Amino acid sequence: MRPQPRRTVRRTATAAVAAAALLSLAACSSGSGDDGGGGGGSKTPADTLVAYTGQAGDYQANFNPYSPTVIEGPGTIFEPLFYFNQARDQEPVPRLGTEYSWNEDGTELSLTVREGVTWSDGEPFTAHDVVFTLGMITEYPALNGTGYNGTAEAVDDTHLVVRFDEPAYMDGPQVLGRIWIVPEHIWKDMSDPTTDTVQEPVGTGPYLLEEFKPAAFTLKANPGYWGGEPALKRVRFVALSGNQAGADALKAGTVDWQTGPVPDIQNVEKNYPGYQAVTVPLNQIALLSCSSAELGCTGPQTDPAVRQAIYYAMDREQINFLAFEETASEISPGFALTGRDAALISQDLENPVAPMNADVDKAAQLLEDAGWAKGGDGIYAKDGERLSLTVSVVSGWTDYITALDVIGQQLKEAGIEIIPQQSSWNEWSDSRGQGNYQLLIDSLYQGPAPDPYYLYSYFFSTATTAPVGETAQPNFARFSDPEVDAALEALKQTDPQDTAARQEHLDLIQTRIEENMPYIPVLTGGTTSEYNAEKFTGWPTADDLYAFPAVWARPDHSQIFISLKPAGE
């Protein structure tokens, strides 16, 4: 996911991939400097990491970790109970929690929370804050992006039990790793936590909000953090004008970490002295469609045949070469990762892997069988409506803008017109959440553990969507299928070790996704981060992926912040 701004992050997100054909965008004056040389001579304070998440346009102050337009907070200000590494299979790292265990039938999760922790306003943190947080997201479905449906009870100040009506094995990493604990003594008085933007956040995390301005905001190390004050004293998030401005800022040494494309991405160390790069294939690039007419979506994209035709009309090899510098890779239409989840990809899919080259004849057959006929201008039409669709993209996301230019040319050959519409991240994110779009380009992010169940539960569950005009989080495509919901519920109740029993449900989910295609698969993005290795030590590397290294990935970025040290310390 692009910045959540993801992952998002992010959270949402999006795949941080490189663009070969960068558009000519002006760099932000505060982000480029006048240094024509490399980034080895950093222009930023020695104790401050300057981060660029891809935010194009001014920030709007929103530190509510449950808001779809949150700009920061999950992991840094508000903590989970444990950190689960989505980049590799490892034991979860304790944060606010210290121990957990399931009962024999997977219906009770017992938790021990950390003693001696205080909120940043000095109030003590207890298990009651966890119980309150879990109850709050149950009461307000718009906050419940994980589909949590348990009941929590505090045993004492450091112990609680979460009970489920049915076995809920798969809920463990969600509850433990993707729910941000908030202070009961403050949040209980909110009139509506779904709309409150939380401009003065109080958390338990390693960082506090120091200063907010629309062009940049700064977090400072929490001197009272239970894990000790971080060695990295400040993190400054800057807003620039887009990917080109990010690349210019790296060249000038005015940004220390960004996740996104730069020219000649294979030679970062040569082109940006002092910087290094790491690429991880994880998030899946897609054309999101507002797919459900029943939930209020309007336009040709509500026809599954149109979505399928777009899928077949794309030449993914060309898109990868022209837009992503060949850092992306193949994608399965069932959205299980072709590498990590190869053994779980259903053999019932028509295409276990999306075709890398266009099949214009197949696209035409799908459209004509659904009643579309090609007009005199070469574009299909039906009942007087041309097959012309708007596609939303964030201004300055040059890789995605280039991808849409390429896809547009490919689809035109198949009789489909797309019209890219650029907007600020704030506008784009709002319309994504409300369903006020036809198509948009984004990426689907993974869950807290290396299992496709979590992506399915986020993006394909009825519980995480909403009618157009109401906030969906994060099933933005408005996809709703009772069979998929039932399969998700069955997976949640199945022991993760019982692979044979699980595959039956994974097969159903993947085939229904391929048939309906509310998210039209493009490629698996190679998420590339460029970071100032000369100024800070402790970065994740290909050999030591202790966290998913994307600046917008939450709470992954907080694990990285607390691991970094200024060089020489």
Side-chain angles (χ1 to χ4, degrees), residues 327-487:
T327 60
S329 56
E330 61 188 14
I331 187 171
S332 171
F335 284 97
L337 286 171
T338 56
R340 186 194 73 186
D341 306 326
L344 304 179
I345 293 177
S346 176
Q347 296 306 302
D348 297 334
L349 291 169
E350 182 176 349
N351 301 120
V353 175
M356 290 301 289
N357 301 115
D359 188 341
V360 175
D361 292 338
K362 176 75 170 179
Q365 179 187 349
L366 286 162
L367 291 173
E368 290 166 10
D369 288 349
W372 293 87
K374 188 170 285 190
D377 61 355
I379 302 300
Y380 279 94
K382 182 179 181 181
D383 299 329
E385 181 180 29
R386 292 176 75 248
L387 186 37
S388 178
L389 296 161
T390 58
V391 189
S392 299
V393 63
V394 175
S395 300
W397 284 4
T398 52
D399 51 348
Y400 280 3
I401 293 168
T402 301
L404 290 181
D405 288 343
V406 176
I407 292 170
Q409 294 174 29
Q410 296 170 352
L411 297 188
K412 187 175 182 180
E413 294 182 12
I416 303 169
E417 180 180 68
I418 62 169
I419 303 171
Q421 293 184 337
Q422 298 184 36
S423 63
S424 71
W425 183 85
N426 297 314
E427 294 171 312
W428 175 88
S429 179
D430 183 65
S431 32
R432 180 185 62 169
Q434 297 291 310
N436 298 320
Y437 70 94
Q438 292 184 323
L439 298 175
L440 62 77
I441 188 166
D442 195 9
S443 65
L444 309 192
Y445 53 83
Q446 304 298 319
D451 191 303
Y453 164 82
Y454 297 104
L455 180 145
Y456 298 148
S457 71
Y458 298 157
F459 293 100
F460 297 95
S461 169
T462 301
T464 57
T465 198
V468 171
E470 299 178 19
T471 301
Q473 178 68 334
N475 182 353
F476 306 119
R478 270 69 190 172
F479 176 74
S480 178
D481 184 322
E483 291 186 61
V484 170
D485 291 338

Side-chain angles (χ1 to χ4, degrees), residues 12 45 58 130 181 219 224 349 405 411 452 469 552:
T12 172
D58 286 347
V130 181
I181 309 305
L219 304 184
L349 291 169
D405 288 343
L411 297 188
W552 37 253

Side-chain angles (χ1 to χ4, degrees), residues 135-150:
M136 179 186 69
I137 66 171
T138 303
E139 181 180 353
Y140 295 94
L143 307 179
N144 195 356
T146 64
Y148 165 76
N149 63 353

Side-chain angles (χ1 to χ4, degrees), residues 3 25 167 197 200 239 271 300 324 333 378 396 410 420 451 487 515 569:
L25 297 176
T197 55
E200 298 180 2
N271 298 331
F324 302 128
Q410 296 170 352
D451 191 303
E515 180 181 344
E569 288 192 7

Side-chain angles (χ1 to χ4, degrees), residues 2-3 5 51-55 59 237-238 257-259 397 551-552:
R2 285 278 182 172
Y52 176 48
T53 66
Q55 173 76 15
Y59 288 105
F237 293 88
V238 297
W257 184 18
Q258 77 150 13
T259 303
W397 284 4
V551 70
W552 37 253

Side-chain angles (χ1 to χ4, degrees), residues 89 91 100 102 104 167-170 173 344 449-451 453-454 490-506:
D89 194 4
E91 288 297 312
Y100 67 90
W102 284 100
E104 289 187 4
Y169 294 102
M170 301 305 292
L344 304 179
D451 191 303
Y453 164 82
Y454 297 104
L491 280 173
K492 186 163 65 173
Q493 298 177 31
T494 304
D495 188 329
Q497 303 304 314
D498 191 347
T499 55
R502 296 183 81 234
Q503 192 61 47
E504 169 189 352
H505 306 301
L506 291 170

